[in-house]
Amino acid sequence: FGIDYQGGDGGGGYTNANNSFGGTQDSAEKKSRRSYDDQTLVPITIQMAYRARPDTQSGDGSLVLEDGRPLHTVKMIGAVRNVEDASTNVMYTIEDGTGVMDVKEWLGDQDPQAVQQMREQTKQEGIYIKVIGQIKDYEGKKLLVANAVRPLTTGNELTHHFLEVMYSSEKFKRADSIVSPMMMGTSGIHNTMGGGTGFGSNSMAGGMGGVGGGDAIRDRVLNFMQEHQDDSENGVSVDTVIQMLHDIPEPEIRKAVELLSEEGQIYSTLNEFQFKVAM
């Protein structure tokens, strides 16, 4: 099981992250329950974890990423550089091309046999593992405390993880720009439907393109590809997008495709004109 690690000391990566489980647990009277949105599983890189900063607003010792996302439960993938097996825990040192971090997995007396067998598979240097857990900050040193550790069974999991890191970051950054044009175009939708011209989806989308600018056009292109990428095993062609979204100028569509590709939200398949959506 696992993938042989070929090494690499590359830099880069995204930003950091940390979790909120390291703080003290207040009573229900003193602190309201966290929203489900705040407890979303966040895919991150090691560099993102190191760059996470304390959340000054929460006051519970939790961390936030540089882009403002709160860190509670995180997902990280890395190559095992070192394993230390103790009686109460297993300590891994992993590397993902953006940094190196220690991972601690506590051992339970009542762990099922299947969990024990899985742990034996992960305690090998040179393989990739997927870790789900919380980032803790002990006296300025960050540590990933694992809830679950699993070996990777295919290289696609590694590729998907880094695409997911980029996608979730861009989705958070663009949340306001995605919602705002929809809200601004709402009156136009009602007017069109009230006039008895049918569903009016093109009028709605056209209004978004005019009001929201480049982001709205990019969203329309991305949504179209998501809806039609399964029509062909090679995804959606740029020419098809241009033909179907005929109210958007061709140069604007090609620009949107280029930006989506650079952001990692879409990827080319058969050639540089066929694309599928990463998520």
Side-chain angles (χ1 to χ4, degrees):
F1 281 71
I3 303 168
D4 291 337
Y5 177 59
Q6 302 299 323
D9 296 318
Y14 258 49
T15 47
N16 164 35
N18 195 2
N19 77 333
S20 61
F21 290 91
T24 57
Q25 188 173 14
D26 296 330
S27 64
E29 292 80 6
K30 293 182 180 180
K31 191 172 184 67
S32 61
R33 184 176 181 180
R34 294 187 185 277
S35 68
Y36 288 109
D37 289 341
D38 286 344
Q39 300 181 54
T40 301
L41 178 66
V42 181
I44 64 171
T45 65
I46 291 175
Q47 188 178 86
M48 292 172 71
Y50 279 124
R51 289 183 177 177
R53 61 184 185 273
D55 186 354
T56 56
Q57 296 182 349
S58 68
D60 61 358
S62 61
L63 300 176
V64 295
L65 292 173
E66 285 187 329
D67 59 17
R69 284 180 292 166
L71 286 181
H72 302 280
T73 303
V74 304
K75 180 174 69 172
M76 186 182 293
I77 289 180
V80 178
R81 288 288 188 86
N82 186 56
V83 180
E84 296 181 8
D85 193 1
S87 59
T88 59
N89 66 83
V90 178
M91 183 74 76
Y92 303 89
T93 300
I94 65 171
E95 185 268 341
D96 69 351
T98 73
V100 178
M101 175 169 282
D102 290 334
V103 176
K104 176 176 284 189
E105 181 184 21
W106 291 102
L107 306 180
D109 296 334
Q110 305 299 324
D111 284 344
Q113 184 177 4
V115 173
Q116 298 178 26
Q117 292 175 348
M118 182 69 70
R119 187 175 295 123
E120 291 301 317
Q121 296 175 13
T122 61
K123 293 189 298 183
Q124 304 178 49
E125 296 182 11
I127 68 168
Y128 277 97
I129 59 175
K130 175 169 64 176
V131 184
I132 295 176
Q134 296 82 42
I135 301 292
K136 306 282 185 156
D137 195 337
Y138 296 112
E139 299 180 350
K141 181 179 180 180
K142 291 188 172 66
L143 172 74
L144 177 55
V145 178
N147 295 335
V149 181
R150 299 288 184 270
L152 265 63
T153 57
T154 171
N156 291 335
E157 292 185 70
L158 179 63
T159 303
H160 180 270
H161 174 70
F162 283 106
L163 289 173
E164 192 176 21
V165 169
M166 292 186 290
Y167 177 82
S168 62
S169 177
E170 287 301 319
K171 182 178 180 181
F172 178 80
K173 292 176 183 177
R174 297 172 52 213
D176 292 338
S177 64
I178 292 175
V179 174
S180 179
M182 285 290 293
M183 298 300 293
M184 295 176 67
T186 302
S187 60
I189 299 170
H190 287 302
N191 290 338
T192 300
M193 295 183 70
T197 57
F199 183 70
S201 60
N202 288 337
S203 297
M204 175 190 71
M208 288 175 58
V211 177
D215 285 342
I217 293 175
R218 189 163 41 177
D219 294 338
R220 285 189 61 196
V221 172
L222 180 61
N223 290 337
F224 180 85
M225 288 187 170
Q226 287 176 325
E227 294 174 1
H228 297 279
Q229 66 174 343
D230 294 331
D231 294 350
S232 168
E233 62 179 9
N234 296 319
V236 182
S237 70
V238 177
D239 289 339
T240 300
V241 179
I242 293 171
Q243 180 181 359
M244 299 304 296
L245 302 181
H246 51 79
D247 58 311
I248 304 177
E250 179 178 339
E252 293 297 324
I253 291 180
R254 294 190 181 278
K255 180 180 179 181
V257 170
E258 181 180 357
L259 290 173
L260 289 169
S261 179
E262 291 176 354
E263 293 169 357
Q265 298 200 57
I266 62 175
Y267 61 95
S268 59
T269 56
L270 182 64
N271 51 51
E272 59 182 355
F273 306 110
Q274 297 278 146
F275 292 90
K276 280 194 172 185
V277 179
M279 287 292 294

